[in-house]
Amino acid sequence: NAGVTQTPKFQVLKTGQSMTLQCAQDMNHEYMSWYRQDPGMGLRLIHYSVGAGITDQGEVPNGYNVSRSTTEDFPLRLLSAAPSQTSVYFCASRKLRADTQYFGPGTRLTVL
Amino acid sequence: GESVGLHLPTLSVQEGDNSIINCAYSNSASDYFIWYKQESGKGPQFIIDIRSNMDKRQGQRVTVLLNKTVKHLSLQIAATQPGDSAVYFCADLPSGSARQLTFGSGTQLTVLP
């Protein structure tokens, strides 16, 4: 198993640009989620999904969109990037009836 | 509001000594707790977890202790090694349908030679 994979590893955007952060898992996990990690702060939940076709907002959803068309993939979209979205983004997944989440390697995003 | 926090942001220990990382939580509805290790430039990696019906759980060189009375948990690492240098996060999960992890800000563990 590759586990949870994320692409790209690094990205630099200009204010107003859009992009999609990719996340995939090959563990047949129903639950997938996106977090952002900022210096001195814990991981904060952006969006999550409990299965294909179902998404919901987390703690800090503004400025981000998600979709879940397949069990394996859970992309995160920034429609108009802002400097406040400069952060490290982690995707995570777990079985729906389990509690332990597994994280991807992260995407470091800088918005100029 | 409810939060999970760590007592110390940094901890330095000598190689071979035992390390203790502490965490306080405030959500009395939490029934599951987990420790993650995050090395520089990598994603959080699961270390050990514990449920609220337990006081102690041991893994390989790691032990988690849970004190529900004072809402405190700790991670003990035996015979700390250079490879243990990382940021350690605790997280809690409340019981009920909205089971989302709440993370602390992390403790940086540095192992001195």
Side-chain angles (χ1 to χ4, degrees):
Chain A
N1 284 355
V4 181
T5 58
Q6 292 183 238
T7 57
K9 193 168 179 61
F10 300 97
Q11 183 69 49
V12 178
L13 293 177
K14 294 181 180 179
T15 297
Q17 286 186 315
S18 63
M19 80 158 295
T20 300
L21 280 63
Q22 301 292 343
C23 174
Q25 52 87 15
D26 61 358
M27 298 174 282
N28 202 29
H29 286 174
E30 299 94 342
Y31 180 95
M32 296 185 73
S33 55
W34 277 101
Y35 294 86
R36 60 178 288 172
Q37 184 177 41
D38 300 297
M41 302 183 70
L43 292 154
R44 292 185 292 169
L45 182 65
I46 304 172
H47 285 285
Y48 66 97
S49 168
V50 298
I54 305 169
T55 63
D56 210 340
Q57 296 181 349
E59 179 185 357
V60 288
N62 292 340
Y64 308 95
N65 284 347
V66 292
S67 60
R68 185 91 179 273
S69 57
T70 67
T71 300
E72 295 79 18
D73 300 297
F74 190 43
L76 178 72
R77 298 184 185 86
L78 285 71
L79 297 179
S80 179
S84 61
Q85 293 178 304
T86 294
S87 188
V88 181
Y89 291 85
F90 290 100
C91 180
S93 73
R94 62 172 169 86
K95 295 293 285 183
L96 195 58
R97 296 192 183 280
D99 293 323
T100 304
Q101 286 195 97
Y102 298 92
F103 285 83
T107 294
R108 184 174 294 275
L109 175 68
T110 301
V111 183
L112 303 176
Chain B
E2 304 284 6
S3 65
V4 175
L6 296 174
H7 291 307
L8 297 172
T10 62
L11 176 66
S12 297
V13 298
Q14 293 288 337
E15 181 178 355
D17 287 351
N18 297 334
S19 302
I20 300 176
I21 300 171
N22 296 304
C23 180
Y25 67 96
S26 57
N27 190 344
S28 57
S30 295
D31 64 356
Y32 175 77
F33 305 87
I34 188 169
W35 282 98
Y36 284 96
K37 171 186 179 183
Q38 186 175 23
E39 296 175 278
S40 180
K42 297 184 178 179
Q45 178 184 10
F46 170 84
I47 302 175
I48 192 168
D49 58 1
I50 188 168
R51 298 200 177 275
S52 58
N53 61 351
M54 302 171 68
D55 297 324
K56 179 180 180 179
R57 191 165 189 219
Q58 288 185 293
Q60 188 176 14
R61 283 200 308 116
V62 295
T63 301
V64 55
L65 299 177
L66 176 62
N67 186 329
K68 295 179 287 293
T69 301
V70 295
K71 297 189 181 68
H72 180 272
L73 69 159
S74 65
L75 177 70
Q76 300 179 0
I77 305 174
T80 312
Q81 303 170 359
D84 294 327
S85 291
V87 175
Y88 290 81
F89 294 92
C90 65
D92 75 315
L93 194 64
S95 60
S97 59
R99 294 180 67 78
Q100 305 297 345
L101 284 171
T102 299
F103 290 86
S105 56
T107 292
Q108 173 70 57
L109 174 65
T110 301
V111 181
L112 305 173

